Amino acid sequence: MDVGTISIVHVLGLIILLAIGMPLGLASAFLALVVLVMKFEPTLLTDPWCYLWVECEGLRIPGMITARPGTGVLYILEQKPFDLMTEYVLLSVPLFIFMAALLERSGIAKEMYNSLNFWLSRTRGGIAVVTSIMAVIMAAMSGIIGGEVVLLGLIALPQMLRLGYNQNLAIGTICASGSLGTMIPPSIVLIIYGLITETSIKALFTGAFIPGFMLASFIIIYILVRVNLDPKQAPLPEERIREDLREMGTANSPERAILETELKILESQPKGFQKLGLFGAFLSLLFSGAAGLLLARVLYFTVTGQNVLDEGEDDILWGMPYHIPYIAGFLVFCLALAVFVFGRERCRHGWSEGKGLVPPFTVIGVVLGSIYGGVTGITEAAGMGALAVFIIAATRGEASVDLIWDSLMRTLRSTGTIIWVTIGAAALAGAYTLAGGPTFIANMIVGSDMPTMLVLLTMMVILLFMGAFMDWVGIVLLIIPVFLPIVKRLPIEEIGFIGQLDPKNVSVWFGVLFCMNMQVSFLSPPFGPAAFYLKSVAPPHISLTDIFRGFLPFICIQILALSVLLAWPSIVEILI
């Protein structure tokens, strides 16, 4: 049977099976078998009775499927999943999920939120900005989105609604910011993409830094512009309290006494340059600690001779002997700022308000620092991050058997879902490749004389459409192996409008572009997973329709960021 017919059956079959509720992993595995039969022994479908009652002389292809059971093309159904499951880097997925589960169930995130809220509470829209910044930090810690949306929904949504924030603004901020885990390293989406396409995961992480933070900055800028154009969208805390007091009148009541106490506390908090001085004092202490650790590290490397390199080896990042004067000088400078400029009392107050940020930054330093510092690989960094979160929780008195058990159960459920989808989709991808599908589609598109950017736009539309109905794991396993070879065959000078992409970084750029596309899929109706994550913890009066309505401006922001990445592909090479 020709590959064109097989491709049509492949797509329609997948849509139908998903529409009737069959799990993606099972649907993919079933279609993998159908694709192999259609390509290598179609008589099993067109004339199955001949295998039972009559001789199929001249109809069967000996040795392909039925002539010699246990041999032939069916081997691909085992080989592709086995090859993928035995990838060492895949172990990082459950470790990152476990780390995110520990974060969600400990008080680390709540304390981080309180610290950020102190610094930005007097800014209009400050709580929404705090929510976005917190999502970026959590994304840099674990790279998981489901737990982030749920956690932000539990912590930030009640606070924003209580202070009178616009409901659509609060919902969109939480879900759009909570989905940043797909873009900001260490993203699990990038890890799976790297495994499937054999692209350097470290290069993917590096290339995704600037686009990820660009998207986060777009969200924050939109929030600030929106609330300043319409201040009623995000009242300041004291404005909301004064309004509530006016509505209560002059009668004394316990509720009025509580609001008056809250107003006095808010009015007594530092403002303007006072708060800026406290923040400077906190940063000077934070940077002093980081510089001290770096100095101890480079001194240890120097004493033990670990930074004596052979010819051709790259320098250790901030770990060479010539780095010692720079690190020591920076340490002295930060200590001088803390002691002589800000003073002991300001440093003490600043540290008490900002110390909630120290554990998250520590975990980020452990995970990303160990990767980019050349200390470990991705998998070991994930394990070290999970251990760091557990140690921090233990020092805070939050470690318990229940915490570990609940985190392990969530890790098992989430990893099991990803693994089963991966097995089925890998089998289908292998079968379709063996049938010649990717080559057929690549030749069809490249031979159509479509402009390069039109080809890329068509791919983006297909990914956006599939993302509205299918999980990202299935998309990266089923569609990326088809699309990436086509992208590599496109004229490199015609990709984008700004800058020139290096041909060796095409896979990295397309991976980051794919992750940006998946950002939109997490919010896209009818099956945007972020909506269902938030609905599980939202107040009863907030419906799914309300949630999807709140997504609309943020989807436009994501499409804007996607357009920037399409027009300026070399943005991913800035840090590589």
Side-chain angles (χ1 to χ4, degrees):
M1 195 171 293
D2 66 281
V3 183
T5 303
I6 293 174
S7 300
I8 295 173
V9 172
H10 177 190
V11 175
L12 293 180
L14 193 60
I15 293 174
I16 293 171
L17 292 177
L18 292 178
I20 65 176
M22 182 177 288
L24 178 58
L26 184 58
S28 301
F30 173 74
L31 283 173
L33 183 60
V34 171
V35 166
L36 290 178
V37 170
M38 291 178 67
K39 176 64 179 176
F40 297 103
E41 198 155 357
T43 50
L44 276 173
L45 297 175
T46 58
D47 195 9
W49 294 107
C50 74
Y51 289 87
L52 299 176
W53 307 110
V54 297
E55 188 68 31
C56 295
E57 192 83 32
L59 295 177
R60 288 164 43 180
I61 304 176
M64 285 297 180
I65 294 180
T66 59
R68 295 174 57 195
T71 65
V73 294
L74 290 180
Y75 179 67
I76 198 71
L77 300 180
E78 176 272 334
Q79 182 188 23
K80 291 295 289 185
F82 179 82
D83 290 344
L84 191 58
M85 291 297 102
T86 52
E87 285 284 355
Y88 180 64
V89 178
L90 195 63
L91 287 173
S92 63
V93 173
L95 290 171
F96 280 126
I97 295 175
F98 180 62
M99 178 172 29
L102 287 175
L103 283 170
E104 182 182 341
R105 284 158 176 76
S106 66
I108 297 173
K110 177 66 175 176
E111 191 169 332
M112 174 175 62
Y113 180 83
N114 292 336
S115 293
L116 289 171
N117 195 29
F118 173 80
W119 301 117
L120 294 170
S121 60
R122 306 302 290 269
T123 304
R124 190 171 297 280
I127 297 178
V129 175
V130 164
T131 301
S132 297
I133 295 174
M134 181 175 171
V136 171
I137 295 174
M138 292 181 63
M141 293 168 70
S142 63
I144 308 293
I145 75 144
E148 284 186 40
V149 174
V150 170
L151 190 59
L152 294 173
L154 289 170
I155 296 175
L157 184 59
Q159 179 83 338
M160 285 193 276
L161 295 179
R162 183 178 69 85
L163 292 176
Y165 275 55
N166 178 274
Q167 179 176 288
N168 290 340
L169 174 64
I171 289 170
T173 299
I174 288 172
C175 291
S177 303
S179 301
L180 289 170
T182 62
M183 280 296 300
I184 297 176
S187 164
I188 287 183
V189 182
L190 289 172
I191 293 174
I192 299 296
Y193 174 91
L195 286 176
I196 298 302
T197 62
E198 298 182 354
T199 305
S200 167
I201 297 175
K202 185 176 179 179
L204 286 167
F205 282 1
T206 306
F209 261 114
I210 292 180
F213 285 105
M214 176 188 70
L215 177 58
S217 67
F218 283 179
I219 293 173
I220 293 174
I221 291 170
Y222 169 75
I223 292 170
L224 293 175
V225 170
R226 178 172 173 175
V227 300
N228 281 282
L229 290 176
D230 185 4
K232 293 181 181 179
Q233 298 266 327
L236 292 171
E238 51 265 45
E239 292 177 351
R240 181 67 178 182
I241 293 175
R242 289 193 183 100
E243 183 180 341
D244 291 342
L245 288 172
R246 281 194 300 269
E247 292 176 355
M248 287 182 178
T250 57
N252 293 325
S253 65
E255 291 80 7
R256 183 180 181 86
I258 293 173
L259 289 177
E260 288 176 343
T261 302
E262 289 183 4
L263 184 59
K264 289 180 181 178
I265 293 173
L266 283 172
E267 291 176 341
S268 65
Q269 287 183 351
K271 303 175 183 177
F273 287 107
Q274 288 181 324
K275 184 174 286 188
L276 188 62
L278 289 176
F279 189 63
F282 168 70
L283 287 182
S284 65
L285 293 176
L286 185 66
F287 289 146
S288 296
L293 291 174
L294 277 177
L295 184 61
R297 171 176 171 264
V298 69
L299 288 174
Y300 173 76
F301 285 167
T302 303
V303 170
T304 58
Q306 294 185 36
N307 52 11
V308 177
L309 306 177
D310 296 330
E311 185 177 351
E313 286 188 301
D314 294 332
D315 288 355
I316 300 174
L317 183 65
W318 291 107
M320 302 303 294
Y322 63 83
H323 289 138
I324 294 177
Y326 299 102
I327 299 174
F330 182 70
L331 174 60
V332 171
F333 173 74
C334 291
L335 290 175
L337 279 179
V339 175
F340 299 110
V341 176
F342 297 111
R344 181 179 299 179
E345 182 60 28
R346 191 175 288 169
C347 286
R348 185 195 62 78
H349 191 184
W351 180 261
S352 67
E353 298 294 348
K355 63 183 180 182
L357 298 173
V358 175
F361 287 148
T362 301
V363 175
I364 292 172
V366 168
V367 176
L368 298 183
S370 59
I371 294 173
Y372 289 100
V375 180
T376 66
I378 306 294
T379 304
E380 295 83 357
M384 290 171 62
L387 180 61
V389 172
F390 176 76
I391 292 174
I392 292 170
T395 57
R396 293 165 49 89
E398 296 171 343
S400 64
V401 175
D402 289 339
L403 175 71
I404 300 298
W405 180 257
D406 290 344
S407 301
L408 286 173
M409 288 300 100
R410 176 178 170 180
T411 302
L412 184 62
R413 287 191 294 269
S414 300
T415 306
T417 301
I418 293 174
I419 292 302
W420 279 116
V421 172
T422 301
I423 290 174
L428 179 54
Y432 189 60
T433 301
L434 193 63
T439 303
F440 167 77
I441 293 177
N443 292 335
M444 182 177 64
I445 292 178
V446 174
S448 65
D449 293 328
M450 291 173 60
T452 297
M453 293 306 295
L454 183 58
V455 171
L456 293 171
L457 286 173
T458 304
M459 291 180 180
M460 293 302 102
V461 171
I462 293 173
L463 289 174
L464 288 171
F465 174 77
M466 297 301 293
F469 299 94
M470 187 186 297
D471 189 74
W472 65 267
V473 182
I475 296 175
V476 75
L477 288 164
L478 297 176
I479 299 180
I480 294 302
V482 177
F483 280 1
L484 186 58
I486 299 173
V487 175
K488 288 182 175 180
R489 291 175 59 178
L490 296 174
I492 192 68
E493 65 276 1
E494 296 180 10
I495 295 179
F497 301 108
I498 304 172
Q500 178 68 58
L501 185 66
D502 192 322
K504 69 180 181 181
N505 292 323
V506 170
S507 296
V508 174
W509 168 72
F510 194 70
V512 177
L513 189 68
F514 166 74
C515 286
M516 188 71 80
N517 197 298
M518 290 300 98
Q519 284 279 310
V520 184
S521 75
F522 282 114
L523 305 187
S524 298
F527 301 118
F532 295 93
Y533 288 134
L534 183 62
K535 177 59 181 172
S536 66
V537 295
H541 70 273
I542 297 179
S543 65
L544 274 175
T545 304
D546 295 330
I547 294 175
F548 280 119
R549 188 182 299 116
F551 287 174
L552 292 178
F554 292 91
I555 290 177
C556 294
I557 292 171
Q558 292 172 334
I559 293 176
L560 173 63
L562 181 65
S563 302
V564 172
L565 199 53
L566 269 172
W568 186 17
S570 58
I571 190 176
V572 302
E573 298 178 320
I574 293 176
L575 297 179
I576 294 179

